[in-house]
Amino acid sequence: MYWLLKHVLLGPWLRWIFKPEVEGVENVPAQGPAILASNHLSYTDWLFMPLVISRRVTFVAKADYFVGGGIKGGFQKWFFSNTGQVPIDRSSGDAAAGALNTGLQILAGGELFGIFPEGTRSHDGRLYKGKTGVARMALAAQVPVIPVAVIGTDEIAPPGKVFGRLVHPQVRFGKAMDFSRYYGMEDDRFVLRSITDEIMYQLMLLSGQEYVDIYAAKAKSKLAQVARNIGEGAATVATNIGEGAAAVATNLNDKIHAARAGDDNVADDPGADNQPVAVAVETAREA
């Protein structure tokens, strides 16, 4: 079904509509296992990257896509299962270990495994710090890493939208990265960090994105917190304005009632210095 979707049911339509451009496809090995490490701008990245090469690419996807009920749930399960996705429970404490084991199984079968080192989509188009799972997998499986830059997909499907605008996405494959000098050192966190940073540097060069040395998930969390703080601040200001307006209205109402009652001392009240209040009081007296 994967090949039917790629070459008959889905792939030709995507190629015809979006006309994706590809560079460096010769850097993808014709056979044998390899990791395709890509930047992540849109949920369509995993569609366009495999579309431009002849080999199958397998990714991990949220388990939620495979367990839904009803017509929609059934379609999602069928679609993701047949487009090179395997389920992984990202909410569990050992989600990273599960993704690693899944990747190792796929690579052991001589296939290509796709991974997004950032761990989540970029919310602002910048390239964020990579997680070290890609390095651990490369060393454990002893396979090369092919850096891949997908460009323009954030315009096709921007964050929070199903579709943005029609552009021609680009897929750039870099030269294979060999980390054989580090084999057997997959438990050394400094080695893992060094390898991951090297991969992210190549992604930066390929994509032309600005690099940010923090995790994308953390950046999103900070942005959400700022939004919450702004919202709370705006709510506080609105409340204060409302309370102030209510106090002025109450004071004005009291003065109007006093004026109508014939209280001549109202004009001597220090609070009557405000011109609108004085006008209102005078109007009330004339009434």
Side-chain angles (χ1 to χ4, degrees):
M1 183 58 70
Y2 176 90
W3 300 110
L4 182 64
L5 285 169
K6 183 172 181 176
H7 294 298
V8 179
L9 301 179
L10 182 62
W13 290 100
L14 291 176
R15 293 190 189 91
W16 180 65
I17 295 172
F18 294 100
K19 297 177 175 57
E21 302 170 0
V22 59
E23 297 178 15
V25 68
E26 67 277 2
N27 293 320
V28 180
Q31 58 184 3
I35 296 172
L36 300 182
S38 174
N39 62 329
H40 202 9
L41 294 172
S42 165
Y43 71 84
T44 61
D45 294 337
W46 61 268
L47 281 174
F48 288 108
M49 189 235 282
L51 187 65
V52 298
I53 59 177
S54 59
R55 297 184 61 186
R56 173 172 179 150
V57 183
T58 302
F59 297 84
V60 293
K62 291 190 296 185
D64 297 352
Y65 294 144
F66 298 82
V67 296
I71 297 177
K72 179 181 178 181
F75 175 77
Q76 283 186 338
K77 181 179 180 180
W78 175 84
F79 182 77
F80 284 99
S81 297
N82 289 288
T83 52
Q85 313 288 306
V86 291
I88 184 70
D89 184 4
R90 295 181 180 177
S91 63
S92 66
D94 58 350
L100 175 64
N101 292 334
T102 300
L104 291 176
Q105 291 175 16
I106 292 167
L107 293 168
E111 300 181 30
L112 298 176
F113 183 73
I115 189 171
F116 301 108
E118 292 169 275
T120 185
R121 285 174 286 175
S122 172
H123 61 283
D124 58 7
R126 296 188 292 177
L127 182 69
Y128 284 86
K129 186 176 183 178
K131 296 187 176 182
T132 58
V134 60
R136 188 182 298 276
M137 186 181 299
L139 297 186
Q142 299 188 358
V143 298
V145 176
I146 314 296
V148 186
V150 184
I151 303 168
T153 52
D154 54 334
E155 296 183 60
I156 295 174
K161 293 184 179 180
V162 175
F163 182 76
R165 66 191 188 95
L166 184 64
V167 301
H168 302 311
Q170 300 178 45
V171 185
R172 298 174 180 171
F173 296 92
K175 293 186 180 300
M177 304 178 72
D178 179 13
F179 297 108
S180 58
R181 62 191 182 278
Y182 296 120
Y183 287 171
M185 303 174 69
E186 56 266 27
D187 292 326
D188 188 321
R189 63 189 182 92
F190 295 106
V191 168
L192 296 179
R193 183 75 264 160
S194 177
I195 291 174
T196 304
D197 289 345
E198 191 174 338
I199 294 171
M200 300 310 294
Y201 180 73
Q202 290 301 315
L203 290 180
M204 180 187 71
L205 295 179
L206 282 171
S207 67
Q209 292 172 272
E210 176 187 350
Y211 178 74
V212 186
D213 196 30
I214 60 173
Y215 293 115
K218 186 175 183 180
K220 288 182 180 180
S221 178
K222 285 184 176 181
L223 185 63
Q225 183 60 51
V226 169
R228 285 193 295 269
N229 291 342
I230 292 175
E232 291 171 359
T236 300
V237 170
T239 299
N240 291 339
I241 291 175
E243 291 175 349
V248 170
T250 300
N251 185 42
L252 177 60
N253 190 54
D254 291 344
K255 292 182 182 300
I256 291 174
H257 281 297
R260 285 178 173 172
D263 186 355
D264 293 333
N265 293 326
V266 104
D268 299 329
D269 193 314
D273 291 341
N274 186 283
Q275 186 63 27
V277 173
V279 171
V281 170
E282 188 62 30
T283 302
R285 282 177 172 166
E286 291 176 357

